[in-house]
Amino acid sequence: DVKVTQSSRYLVKRTGEKVFLECVQDMDHENMFWYRQDPGLGLRLIYFSYDVKMKEKGDIPEGYSVSREKKERFSLILESASTNQTSMYLCASSPGQGQPQHFGDGTRLSIL
Amino acid sequence: QKEVEQNSGPLSVPEGAIASLNCTYSDRGSQSFFWYRQYSGKSPELIMFIYSNGDKEDGRFTAQLNKASQYVSLLIRDSQPSDSATYLCAVWGNAGKSTFGDGTTLTVKP
């Protein structure tokens, strides 16, 4: 089975902090994704990556950046955390474009 | 218009009935279609995917795709209380990414 591991289930940070969310997959998948999920707004794509050192903006990239130095690891960075970034963050991976995505357990991030 | 729209729900069916979940999409060039189930407080898990027009069956689940009508559905036969969850439709389009619908919450009553 595909395993997508997110580093934290729950995280509390302060406004203005730089926040790192880590995601690791163990199935040699090419593609990795970061989403946030908010009540009433559904699942929204922040950034995605088709290959090492490649990144593409999703629908809501503002305030975020990503890093993919190794194929198995995709990091989401909140440059200067704000309260409106309080959300559930979900990482996913897929073998290739147009193929099913497998999700991690999610990180519930609270910015105070 | 949203790129992917689902029944607003919530949907409630009795145990043993057929639950029908619907999804329409706007990108006519979309190529891949997925259904995910999400239990409260959990992350989405893939239950079905379909690439070609027609029906695809897996156990109690059937996905139906009609590209001409830009419509994809999920039927759950012999619904069980354990099927109670939010079902997310996702569509992979020409932009090279998946777009998710807002989800339909299904409750199966014993």
Side-chain angles (χ1 to χ4, degrees), chain B residues 1-8 21-28 30 33 35 64-74 89-91 99-102 104:
Chain B
Q1 182 191 3
K2 287 187 175 181
E3 292 181 51
V4 178
E5 295 205 50
Q6 297 184 236
N7 315 53
S8 57
L21 303 161
N22 302 315
C23 176
T24 58
Y25 59 94
S26 60
D27 181 356
R28 190 168 284 279
S30 296
F33 306 86
W35 283 100
Q64 299 174 317
L65 175 62
N66 184 325
K67 288 187 177 180
S69 300
Q70 295 174 240
Y71 176 94
V72 57
S73 66
L74 180 70
C89 170
V91 176
T99 300
F100 285 76
D102 289 343
T104 300

Side-chain angles (χ1 to χ4, degrees), chain A residues 35 37 43 45 48 50 59 90 97-101 103-105, chain B residues 32 34 36 38 41 43-44 46 49 51 92 96-98 100 102:
Chain A
Y35 295 90
Q37 189 172 33
L43 210 59
L45 182 63
F48 58 107
Y50 290 145
D59 300 317
L90 290 159
Q97 295 193 43
Q99 296 185 278
Q101 294 179 36
F103 285 84
D105 288 338
Chain B
S32 309
F34 310 94
Y36 293 84
Q38 187 174 24
S43 61
L46 178 74
F49 60 91
Y51 299 141
W92 186 281
K97 61 182 177 70
S98 276
F100 285 76
D102 289 343

Side-chain angles (χ1 to χ4, degrees), chain A residues 46-72:
Chain A
I46 305 171
Y47 267 97
F48 58 107
S49 169
Y50 290 145
D51 201 352
V52 177
K53 297 192 186 293
M54 291 186 67
K55 59 184 179 182
E56 298 284 343
K57 291 181 179 179
D59 300 317
I60 52 163
E62 296 78 20
Y64 303 94
S65 63
V66 290
S67 172
R68 195 167 180 201
E69 295 296 319
K70 293 185 178 181
K71 190 175 186 179
E72 67 271 18

Side-chain angles (χ1 to χ4, degrees), chain A residues 7-82:
Chain A
S7 52
S8 306
R9 288 300 308 276
Y10 301 93
L11 206 54
V12 180
K13 296 291 183 181
R14 299 274 178 199
T15 54
E17 281 192 69
K18 191 169 186 176
V19 181
F20 293 85
L21 301 183
E22 306 287 345
C23 176
V24 177
Q25 51 94 4
D26 67 356
M27 285 301 291
D28 201 35
H29 282 177
E30 299 291 330
N31 302 340
M32 297 189 74
F33 308 84
W34 274 106
Y35 295 90
R36 62 178 285 178
Q37 189 172 33
D38 301 285
L41 295 176
L43 210 59
R44 294 180 292 168
L45 182 63
I46 305 171
Y47 267 97
F48 58 107
S49 169
Y50 290 145
D51 201 352
V52 177
K53 297 192 186 293
M54 291 186 67
K55 59 184 179 182
E56 298 284 343
K57 291 181 179 179
D59 300 317
I60 52 163
E62 296 78 20
Y64 303 94
S65 63
V66 290
S67 172
R68 195 167 180 201
E69 295 296 319
K70 293 185 178 181
K71 190 175 186 179
E72 67 271 18
R73 186 180 297 271
F74 192 35
S75 303
L76 180 69
I77 304 156
L78 284 66
E79 298 291 344
S80 178
S82 64

